[in-house]
Structure formats: C-alpha cells, structure tokens
Amino acid sequence: MSQQWPEKVIFCEVGPRDGLQNEPYTLSVERKTALIEGAADAGLKIIEIGSFVHPKAVPQMADTDEVARTFRRTQGVEYRALVANLKGVERALASGVTKVKLTVSASESHAKANLNKTPRELIEGFKECTAFARANGAEVSGAISTAFGCPFEGKVPPSQVREIAGRMHDLGITELSLSDTTGMANPRQVFDLSSMMMKEFPDVRWFLHFHNTRGMALANIVAGMQAGVIRFDGSLAGLGGCPYAPGASGNIASEDMIHMFSEMGIETGIDLGKIITLAGQLRDWVGHADSAVLKAGTCADLVPLTAAKKQR
C-alpha cells in the first residue's frame, strides 16, 4: 500500500524567536523587523516574532516589545510570541500581539533549569495567563518542550508527554507543539508519539518542532507526516538553540524543509527563492548558518547544469 502524503502542509517560521535567542549578540530592531517582514513577503502565514520573558534570562529577546510595535503587519499572517507567565502575556498584548504561546517541559529537570518551576507548577500558573489572554481577545497556543528527550534525564516516557498535553488541554488549549528541544528524536519515536497524541487528542492542532542536532530533523518531519501531522516549525538558516538545554543546536533550516516539501510535490504556499535569499541575508548578519540548501543550492539549480553538459 502506497503512502498517502498530504497535499499541503502548514509552516511556522520561528527564526525571529528560537533562531535568535541563543546568538552571542542581539540583532538590531531594524534587522529583526526586516526578518519578520521578509518572511511574510515570502508567503509565511505563521511567524513567531520573539518572546516576552525576563531580559536577564534571554537578553537577545529584551527588545521584543519594540519589535512588535515596529514591524509592518501583513493581512492574513498570524504573528505569535512566546510567553512564560502573566507578566509576559500583559507585555505581549500591550505591544499589539494577539496570540501567545505558553511552553512547558515534559521533563521536570529541564523545567526547573529553564523556568525554575516544575511542570505542574508552570501549568498551574498558566490558568491566569489563559484567562487574561482570552478576556482581552487574544488566542493561546502551547508547546511541550523536551517531548522526545531531555539533556538531563534522557528519553522522556510518552506517558509524561500525554499527561502534560492533557493538563494543557484542560485549560482549553487546542493548539500544541511537540518540541524536540535537543535534537534527540528519531523517526520511529516521532511516528509513534505523534500517532498516539493525535489519537488521544483529536481536536488538537498538532505542530512538530525539530532541532537538527544529530542530523535527523528532515527524517523526523517525514515520520510526522506519515503519522498525519501537517504543521511544522522551522528556522531560517538553521539557527537556534536553548540557553537552558546543554547541547541544543539549531532548528531545522526553513529553506531545507520547504525545499524538501517542494521536491515531494507538497504545497506550502511559500516562495522558496525568497526564503533562500532571506536565509542568506540572516547568515551574513550573524556570521554562520546550518543549511544544506545555502551550501549546495536546490535540486532545480542542477537542471541547467545537466542541460549544458548535454549540449556540449
């Protein structure tokens, strides 16, 4: 029996937040704004513009308020931001953000290292966050970090992920991301956990968020599609990492993922050429990238070369 691939996938660009939060220096507001506007111009319909967290914890995100007030919004694009507590929600809404994302780790060790609270304590605090957001007309989504593995505890049992998802779901959150924070996931694990979570929570819109630490992110995306997931995060130029997760390296490069979808005949609605150009600009700004497409070009780039050889 042949695999039934999705006709279309939904893509979220997390570069302005997850991609930049681990860089040794902070991009200017002007460059962050250009990154967000460039992603929208390329056809991205969901963009994570930054995070509203304590500036001492993640100094690269200290200017997210100004970024949110500055960039030009494109109609039909969802702009969301990561928040950790009620203060973050208040800042986000005051800056014009209308969708916030709450994140909690499936691992107690990582939760304490990241936010100095247990997962249960964090979710308890989310009650006032979700109530305030909804009372003020904002949407709420969620993310479960270290869903596939923890740098302190190793493999995370699926039952722990299911428990966290259930608690988030009880808060009325019906959009959740399974996040591979340190790139520990493998395709079989992704297929099994994604299949289980979709069966347990059929009304949830599931996203998958992979880091390419061990080179398995694209394979994990394929496994996620095989399980029925159609929503994925990526980061321009393959930037990213978590300051509180040892060994966490970049996200899967957006341009690599979109290129793969294009080659598979799966629609994204995104202009690959514009994304590659934007990723190259970001690479020049920060001085590095982890992107196969930026190194080798697209498969389509090889066609003229082949034709030229035949003419000789």
Side-chain angles (χ1 to χ4, degrees):
M1 184 172 135
S2 62
Q3 171 66 40
Q4 295 297 308
W5 300 106
E7 294 183 2
K8 182 178 181 178
V9 293
I10 298 168
F11 183 81
C12 173
E13 175 57 51
V14 299
R17 195 276 301 178
D18 200 4
L20 298 180
Q21 71 176 9
N22 216 31
E23 287 299 307
Y25 64 93
T26 303
L27 284 188
S28 67
V29 170
E30 291 74 21
R31 286 183 171 179
K32 288 182 178 180
T33 297
L35 191 64
I36 294 166
E37 292 178 353
D41 181 61
L44 268 295
K45 296 302 182 185
I46 309 175
I47 304 171
E48 197 163 290
I49 67 160
S51 61
F52 293 89
V53 296
H54 198 289
K56 289 184 178 179
V58 188
Q60 297 88 339
M61 295 288 108
D63 57 4
T64 301
D65 306 72
E66 186 178 356
V67 170
R69 290 191 294 265
T70 301
F71 75 86
R72 171 179 43 82
R73 284 163 169 75
T74 298
Q75 188 174 3
V77 176
E78 174 189 295
Y79 300 99
R80 71 186 192 193
L82 185 74
V83 297
N85 50 35
L86 181 58
K87 178 66 173 178
V89 179
E90 291 172 342
R91 285 175 56 199
L93 271 58
S95 301
V97 174
T98 57
K99 185 166 186 176
V100 295
K101 185 171 78 172
L102 297 162
T103 184
V104 61
S105 178
S107 151
E108 186 161 319
S109 297
H110 182 260
K112 288 181 176 179
N114 193 18
L115 294 167
N116 200 32
K117 291 183 179 181
T118 67
R120 186 182 292 268
E121 289 170 337
L122 286 167
I123 294 174
E124 185 66 26
F126 290 168
K127 291 180 180 179
E128 60 180 0
C129 295
T130 55
F132 182 86
R134 289 170 182 148
N136 288 275
E139 295 183 67
V140 182
S141 64
I144 305 173
S145 57
T146 64
F148 300 95
C150 169
F152 309 108
E153 299 178 15
K155 295 292 183 183
V156 174
S159 59
Q160 285 183 213
V161 183
R162 192 251 174 258
E163 180 183 354
I164 297 295
R167 292 183 180 277
M168 299 282 271
H169 189 261
D170 288 343
L171 294 177
I173 299 175
T174 55
E175 181 179 284
L176 289 170
S177 167
L178 297 174
S179 301
D180 185 23
T181 310
T182 52
M184 297 173 69
N186 66 72
R188 183 170 184 171
Q189 179 190 23
V190 170
F191 179 85
D192 290 345
L193 183 61
S194 298
S195 298
M196 183 188 85
M197 300 304 277
M198 293 183 73
K199 182 178 180 181
E200 291 278 342
F201 304 98
D203 62 324
V204 170
R205 299 184 299 276
W206 290 102
F207 276 80
L208 289 174
H209 176 108
F210 294 114
H211 287 242
N212 202 35
T213 313
R214 293 164 183 84
M216 288 193 278
L218 286 178
N220 288 333
I221 290 164
V222 170
M225 285 194 291
Q226 290 175 326
V229 179
I230 61 168
R231 297 172 178 86
F232 303 94
D233 291 347
S235 179
L236 287 159
L239 302 186
C242 175
Y244 302 98
S249 61
N251 297 268
I252 182 63
S254 301
E255 59 274 17
D256 289 352
M257 191 189 310
I258 295 166
H259 175 253
M260 181 183 76
F261 290 142
S262 175
E263 289 296 311
M264 294 176 72
I266 297 173
E267 182 186 345
T268 63
I270 299 167
D271 188 315
L272 177 59
K274 288 184 177 181
I275 283 293
I276 292 173
T277 299
L278 190 61
Q281 178 66 80
L282 180 57
R283 174 197 57 197
D284 294 343
W285 286 342
V286 302
H288 67 97
D290 185 7
S291 164
V293 167
L294 285 182
K295 292 176 184 176
T298 69
C299 292
D301 294 333
L302 298 175
V303 175
L305 295 176
T306 304
K309 287 182 180 179
K310 288 181 178 179
Q311 291 176 358
R312 290 177 183 171

